[in-house]
């Protein structure tokens, strides 16, 4: 079962969005929105998987089949609202990095 | 201060290693080794920064100036020992993804 905690991605190349963030202490609505976005992202065309963890820093890595799929997700109406609320309510700062996976291996 | 929790990376392109893992319940020596590797990685040529978090899944993303720098770190003698012990003692499974950061933005 624990195997499934890691995203089952295809052979490279594919793409990833590394979303690193520092939250403030405002909790209102955050968990609900995070759960909603987690559900929504899995329904997007080109979505391949997601991994997420948070301590002082939160890191969510989502995997995608193409840069177009990433652009579409960024422009998704419900996601745009989540991004706006994130900046206004929940995050002290964040960084988004778009990358191309060249190679992978596992144990 | 919290700003510094996110890695201060240069303008893209640069490279990243996304290390995603699921730990078992063996704690012996893990924290010490993790601290040692965190110290050691920061001394490597081409190292740009690192971000890390762990809940059910652990995600450590290290940033690098080149693929050669990543290769050198993977082949570092002390790191090789850590990788071996990781497979034998601490990890149920892990996945390593090597990628090229094409674009980034922050808030």
């Amino acid at each position: 079962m624990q195997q499934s905690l890691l995203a089952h991605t295809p052979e490279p190349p594919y793409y990833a969005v590394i979303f690193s963030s520092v939250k403030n202490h405002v909790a209102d609505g955050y968990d609900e929105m995070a759960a909603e976005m987690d559900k929504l992202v899995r329904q997007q065309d080109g979505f391949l998987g997601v991994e997420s963890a948070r301590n002082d820093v939160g890191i969510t890595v989502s995997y995608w089949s193409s840069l177009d799929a990433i652009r579409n997700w960024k422009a998704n109406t419900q996601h745009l609202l989540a991004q706006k609320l994130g900046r206004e309510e929940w995050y002290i700062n964040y960084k988004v990095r778009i990358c191309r996976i060249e190679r992978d291996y596992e144990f």
Side-chain angles (χ1 to χ4, degrees), chain A:
Chain A
M1 288 304 282
Q2 295 204 268
Q3 188 87 22
S4 65
L5 290 169
L6 303 185
H8 290 294
T9 41
E11 288 291 297
Y14 52 94
Y15 296 85
V17 179
I18 305 169
F19 176 69
S20 311
S21 62
V22 180
K23 269 192 90 275
N24 58 28
H25 297 288
V26 177
D28 284 5
Y30 176 78
D31 287 346
E32 294 78 0
M33 181 63 90
E36 197 176 319
M37 286 305 110
D38 184 74
K39 189 175 164 193
L40 189 63
V41 72
R42 293 169 193 274
Q43 299 166 5
Q44 303 307 303
D45 283 347
F47 173 81
L48 300 175
V50 63
E51 296 162 347
S52 197
R54 174 174 300 281
N55 305 133
D56 295 333
V57 175
I59 305 173
T60 296
V61 188
S62 56
Y63 300 100
W64 300 89
S65 62
S66 70
L67 291 173
D68 272 349
I70 291 172
R71 266 181 227 112
N72 289 341
W73 170 236
K74 183 167 192 280
N76 174 286
T77 307
Q78 288 168 269
H79 188 206
L80 283 174
L81 174 62
Q83 293 169 52
K84 177 171 156 31
L85 284 170
R87 288 187 296 268
E88 289 173 359
E89 304 283 338
W90 301 308
Y91 295 118
I92 294 172
N93 59 326
Y94 64 69
K95 185 139 191 163
V96 177
R97 295 176 172 99
I98 317 284
C99 60
R100 177 184 152 102
I101 310 286
E102 307 285 353
R103 199 158 60 80
D104 63 17
Y105 58 91
E106 62 190 32
F107 160 71

